[in-house]
């Protein structure tokens, strides 16, 4: 199974719905060591991203518009990182002559490009108790999956992202306000990792 434009739009709509449903949870996690606004920030960012996706007809241009749009229309680290993710995805597909359908190999390149885009915006790495603890394992799992079915690849990514987010409970924060807590930052999941895991779970659930 390949990923079509319509599949992708459905995935983004489900991602927005699922993130909205857990908005309060994400903000409560963020309030433990941060500003307590992560739920609001990611709902705002994804609302813009999902709306821009609905206008797309070809993957590279659509992804670029999604990433650029959220960076232009709202501010903050959440919108910057999500914007970098989708712009990186679009840039990775441009040389592959992709139009309205993505196969398994192209999907791997797309998510690797998204990760590269995010890495250009943050120095955080897995183990630092950030959204990278969900994103990096997800992309690596997608790349390692040998299936030609994009749904199988996305399921592998979702499972890895969830495990990565759960692992942040035992981590000490090294970024953001949470790093000021030192050892006291251990014992709860990172808000960003948890929300990005939800994003990948939505991708896997939203493709039919």
């Amino acid at each position: 199974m390949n990923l079509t434009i319509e599949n992708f739009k459905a995935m983004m709509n489900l991602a927005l719905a699922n993130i909205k449903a857990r908005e309060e949870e994400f903000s409560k996690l963020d309030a433990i060591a941060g500003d307590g606004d992560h739920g609001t920030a990611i709902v705002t960012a994804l609302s813009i991203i999902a709306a821009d996706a609905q206008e797309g007809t070809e993957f590279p241009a659509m992804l670029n518009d999604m990433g650029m749009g959220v960076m232009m229309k709202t501010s903050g680290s959440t919108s910057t990182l999500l914007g970098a993710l989708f712009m990186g995805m679009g840039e990775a597909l441009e040389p592959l002559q992709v139009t309205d359908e993505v196969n398994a190999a192209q999907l791997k390149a797309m998510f690797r490009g998204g990760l590269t885009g995010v890495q250009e915006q943050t120095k955080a790495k897995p183990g630092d108790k950030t959204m990278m603890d969900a994103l990096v394992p997800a992309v690596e799992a997608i790349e390692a999956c040998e299936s030609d079915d994009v749904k199988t690849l996305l399921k592998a990514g979702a499972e890895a992202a969830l495990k990565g987010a759960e692992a942040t409970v035992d981590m000490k924060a090294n970024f953001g306000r949470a790093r000021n807590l030192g050892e006291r930052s251990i014992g709860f999941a990172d808000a960003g990792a948890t929300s990005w895991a939800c994003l990948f779970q939505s991708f896997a659930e939203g493709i039919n």
Side-chain angles (χ1 to χ4, degrees), residues 185-208:
S185 64
I186 299 170
F188 59 89
D190 177 68
T194 306
S195 64
W196 282 60
C198 179
L199 188 65
F200 275 89
Q201 286 177 284
S202 302
F203 290 165
E205 294 169 5
I207 182 171
N208 296 308

Side-chain angles (χ1 to χ4, degrees), residues 93-153:
L93 291 182
E94 284 176 3
L96 303 181
Q97 298 182 322
V98 172
T99 54
D100 60 352
E101 194 166 306
V102 170
N103 62 30
Q106 292 163 343
L107 187 83
K108 293 179 180 183
M110 182 176 86
F111 275 100
R112 171 53 63 177
L115 173 57
T116 298
V118 172
Q119 288 172 327
E120 291 173 353
Q121 298 295 328
T122 178
K123 294 180 180 178
K125 296 179 174 61
D128 287 332
K129 197 169 183 137
T130 70
M131 38 69 62
M132 297 298 275
D133 288 296
L135 176 59
V136 173
V139 173
E140 290 179 347
I142 288 170
E143 290 179 320
C145 186
E146 297 181 356
S147 175
D148 289 329
D149 178 18
V150 297
K151 186 173 180 66
T152 301
L153 267 63

Side-chain angles (χ1 to χ4, degrees), residues 23-38:
E23 178 179 355
E24 185 176 352
E25 173 194 347
F26 300 144
S27 287
K28 283 183 177 179
L29 281 174
D30 189 41
I32 296 170
D35 296 330
D37 63 350
H38 181 65

